[in-house]
Structures are given as structure tokens and as C-alpha cells.
Amino acid sequence: MTSATPGMKAPDFEGITTGPDGHSKMSLKDFTSNGNWCLLFFYPMDFGYISPSELLALNSIKKDLDKLKCNLVACSTDSAVVHNKFLSLAPADGGVKGLSFPLLEDVNGDIADKYGVLRKSSGYTFRGFFLIDSEGIIRSRTIYDLPVGIGCERLPE
């Protein structure tokens, strides 16, 4: 397991995303091109107890991130098919319908392993944020244990 830390080059990745624009094959470069930064969020699984509220909280700050030229992508070890179902269900039914950013599949845990957040004994990831600049350098990393949910707030107007 690699430990991706601030100041180092972010491990490259490529995978299928599911989101508002359908399915796409995307890489880290797609999220950090044209001077954009990327906030890569790892979460354990779709339909988890905490994950839907975390993703919806991130969705509430998406416009603020857009203003800062920061793309947002969330990654779990679920497949694009599971992501699609998760995105089709309303929050009242345990889904995240209306999410305005893509979910990245990592079925084999390869991306999570590169970033050092894969819990190999379970096949799930720890919760974690990686802020990656437009040059592909990790500028911040925050990792949470599984029972701890993330929190985020909108920036003041």
C-alpha cells in the first residue's frame, strides 16, 4: 500500500465515472486539466449508513468548488452499475439522486490502494479527501476512520 502524502505527485488513475452526464472513462488528468484542481473523496460504499449524507453534503458545496476551479469526484469500490442505481434513488430512499458530480468506480480497489486508503481485509476504503492541484501534486490529505462521517459547510457569500 502506497501512502499518498502532501507534496508528492498524485497517483494517476483511470476508471468509469457515473454522474449527471452519464458514464465516461476518466483519468486524474481530466479532473486537473485547464488549471483546475481536484477534490478526490473516497468513501466505503454506496447505500451505506453514512455515505449518502456525506455525498449530499459535498453536493451542497459543489458550486463553491466550481468557483474555485476545483473539480469534485467521489470514489468507492462499488461498480458503475451500483453507482447508477445509487444515483437513481431519492435521498429519502437511501440514494443520492440529484448529485451534480461523478462517482468513480474502483471495483478492484486499485485506485484506493494507490492512495493508501484501502482496507484490504474488507475491500472497502477509509473515508478520505485528497486535494490535488492543477499540476497533479497532492496539496492536502485527510483520512477518517469508518465510523466517523465527514462534515463540510458552504463558504460564506
Side-chain angles (χ1 to χ4, degrees), residues 34-49:
N34 300 320
N36 288 302
W37 287 40
C38 176
L39 183 60
L40 174 61
F41 174 60
F42 288 93
Y43 66 102
M45 71 178 97
D46 296 347
F47 301 106
Y49 180 71

Side-chain angles (χ1 to χ4, degrees), residues 20-133:
D21 300 323
H23 295 279
S24 299
K25 190 170 197 174
M26 299 189 81
S27 69
L28 176 59
K29 287 182 182 178
D30 294 315
F31 293 106
T32 57
S33 63
N34 300 320
N36 288 302
W37 287 40
C38 176
L39 183 60
L40 174 61
F41 174 60
F42 288 93
Y43 66 102
M45 71 178 97
D46 296 347
F47 301 106
Y49 180 71
I50 298 173
S51 299
S53 62
E54 291 173 319
L55 294 169
L56 292 168
L58 285 170
N59 200 56
S60 75
I61 64 165
K62 172 76 167 69
K63 288 181 183 176
D64 295 326
L65 292 171
D66 289 343
K67 289 177 189 173
L68 296 170
K69 292 186 70 175
C70 184
N71 290 311
L72 174 60
V73 61
C75 181
S76 80
T77 54
D78 286 314
S79 70
V81 172
V82 175
H83 287 333
N84 198 46
K85 181 67 175 172
F86 191 44
L87 289 163
S88 73
L89 293 175
D93 297 323
V96 290
K97 188 173 186 171
L99 216 58
S100 59
F101 60 90
L103 302 180
L104 175 67
E105 78 170 6
D106 186 20
V107 177
N108 296 323
D110 296 335
I111 300 168
D113 192 42
K114 288 179 185 181
Y115 280 82
V117 295
L118 183 67
R119 293 187 65 215
K120 290 186 189 249
S121 61
S122 69
Y124 301 117
T125 67
F126 289 103
R127 290 177 174 79
F129 287 106
F130 290 84
L131 183 61
I132 303 164
D133 73 13

